[in-house]
Amino acid sequence: MVQVVDAERTAEMRDVLVAELRTQGMIMSDAVEAAFRRVPREQFMPDDTDLAVVYGYDRSVVTKRDGHGRAMSSVSAAYIQARMLELADLRPGMTVLEVGSGGLNAAYLAEVVGSQGRVVSIDIDPEVIDRAASALDAIGHSSRVRVLVADAERGVPGEGPFDAIIVTVGAWDVAPAWLRQLRPDGVLVLPLIMNNVTRVIGFRRDGDHLVSTATEVAGFVPMQGDGSRTDQVLELPEPSGRKVRLTFDSDAPANMSQLDGVLATDQIEVWSGVTIEHGVSFADLHLWLAWYADGFCRLSADEGTALAAQKRWFPFAVVQEAGFAYLALRDALEGAGAEFGARAYGADGQVAAAAMVEQIRAWDREGHRTSPTFAYWPTGSDPARISADATVMDKTHGVLTISWPRE
C-alpha cells in the first residue's frame, strides 16, 4: 500500500539523513547520495512506521516475524544499506544480484546502476517478494528491478554473470552458486557469520579466492533455506527455573552435561587490567574472541535471572569443561573508561575466566589498534597460497581466513 505522507517533511528528513550518512563516512560517492535522495524509504515500510524510524540513521524495521516472534524479514538500517552499496563499488551499466529482498535496497541499486544496468532481487519467501514488487511498482521501479522467489543457495538460473552480489541476510558460508555467477573481477558483499559474530565484508575476487576490501559492524536476520545453519543451544536453568542459554554455531563441547547445575555455584570474577576509554569501539574484541577463544559461544538470559539483572555484561562466553565465563566490564580510568574482565560459574569457572582474560590481553597486544583482513578460499582453490600468519576457520564450502596486520 502506498503511504500518504507530507512530501515536504519527508524530503527534509531525507536531506538530514543523507547529511549524517555523509558526515559519518557511510556515503562516499555522489551516485549513492543521489540514490538516497531519490528513493522514498517510507514506501517500503509498514504503514504505521514512524517517520523518525524510517529516516533514522541506525534504525532497522522488522517487516515479518514467525510464530515465535523471531524476525524473518526486515528493512536494514540506513547506515548499513549505504555502506554496503559503497562496498559493492557499483557503476552505471552493471548487473547486480541482491540476495534477500524487501524492495528498498533494490531501488537504491537500480538508481546507482542506471537505466543501462540490471538488478535482480531474490528471496525465498513469496510474501516478501510480493511486498517488494508492490512497493517497487508504487514508486515506478518495477521495470528496473526483476524480483524472483528463489533459494539463494542454488543461484539464479538464466541470470548473470553478475558484476556484484549483495547479500542482505546473515550467511554462515559463501554459496558456490554465487561464485559461479560472479564475474572474475566481481565484488561480493555479505554479512558473514563467524562463530556467532557477524561482520559485513566486502570481498573482491582474486583468481581462485576472495580478498576483503573493507568491513562493517551490523546484524541481519539469518538466511533461510538450504543455506541456513542450525545452532546448538544449551539451556542452563537457575534454581528459580528461569534459563541462561549458550548458543554454538559450530564446535560445541562434546560433554556439555558437565555444566549441569552450574548456575547454583558461586560466581567468580577475574579482571584483565586491559582498559578502554568511554566512546571507543571495542567491537573487534568480540571478533577476536570468536576466532581465538576455545569454547566460544553466544550468551542470553531470561528476564528475571540473576545474570540478566547484572550490569555491563556482553552476550559472549567461553566454556571450559565444567565452567563457563562471560565478558564483563567495570569502571576504570577514574570514571573515564572501563576495564574488561570475565565473570564465571562452575567447578572450572576459574579456568574459563582465565582463558577469556588471556584472550582479552592477547587482543590488547596484537589486535587492539589494527583492523583485520579476511580471505575466502572455496573448495578446490589452492590452500598452499594461504598466508602463514593467517588463522583458518572451516566452512562448509571452503575456508575463511583472518589476519591482523602488525602495527
Side-chain angles (χ1 to χ4, degrees), residues 372-385:
T373 57
F374 300 88
Y376 183 83
W377 301 80
T379 301
S381 57
D382 182 5
R385 296 175 56 208

Side-chain angles (χ1 to χ4, degrees), residues 101-293:
S101 194
L104 176 55
N105 201 60
Y108 287 145
L109 288 168
E111 290 288 343
V112 176
V113 301
S115 59
Q116 300 304 307
R118 180 169 176 78
V119 177
V120 180
S121 181
I122 65 172
D123 199 283
I124 199 170
D125 188 335
E127 182 181 337
V128 171
I129 285 295
D130 287 346
R131 186 173 61 248
S134 296
L136 286 164
D137 185 56
I139 67 166
H141 278 54
S142 57
S143 63
R144 304 179 65 178
V145 179
R146 185 184 185 200
V147 290
L148 298 170
V149 176
D151 188 329
E153 190 77 3
R154 304 170 193 169
V156 192
E159 291 288 352
F162 297 105
D163 299 288
I165 298 174
I166 296 182
V167 181
T168 60
V169 288
W172 193 84
D173 198 3
V174 176
W178 303 343
L179 298 182
R180 287 196 299 269
Q181 293 193 282
L182 185 66
R183 289 189 185 277
D185 59 346
V187 172
L188 171 66
V189 181
L190 79 166
L192 193 57
I193 302 168
M194 298 165 280
N195 206 3
N196 269 308
V197 172
T198 301
R199 288 293 179 273
V200 173
I201 306 177
F203 284 111
R204 185 172 289 279
R205 197 164 204 161
D206 183 7
D208 64 351
H209 68 292
L210 303 171
V211 177
S212 69
T213 57
T215 65
E216 190 62 53
V217 178
F220 284 78
V221 298
M223 183 170 288
Q224 302 174 53
D226 289 348
S228 64
R229 179 79 175 182
T230 301
D231 293 332
Q232 293 177 265
V233 181
L234 174 63
E235 294 187 336
L236 304 174
E238 281 194 343
S240 67
R242 297 182 179 92
K243 294 176 181 179
V244 171
R245 294 171 181 82
L246 305 179
T247 301
F248 302 82
D249 83 358
S250 57
D251 299 327
N255 185 12
M256 291 195 288
S257 64
Q258 294 183 86
L259 293 175
D260 290 349
V262 69
L263 293 176
T265 65
D266 292 336
Q267 187 184 80
I268 299 162
E269 291 187 358
V270 178
W271 298 96
S272 66
V274 176
T275 60
I276 194 164
E277 295 179 358
H278 291 320
V280 177
S281 173
F282 52 90
D284 277 351
L285 172 58
H286 307 157
L287 188 64
W288 181 281
L289 293 172
W291 275 82
Y292 299 110

Side-chain angles (χ1 to χ4, degrees), residues 33 41-42 46 62 67 88 114 122-123 133 139 142 157 161 190 218 258 272 291 306 319 324 334 354 397 402 405:
E33 176 178 336
R41 292 180 65 84
E42 66 275 7
V62 175
I122 65 172
D123 199 283
I139 67 166
S142 57
L190 79 166
Q258 294 183 86
S272 66
W291 275 82
V319 172
F324 82 94
E334 298 182 344
H397 304 299
I402 190 171

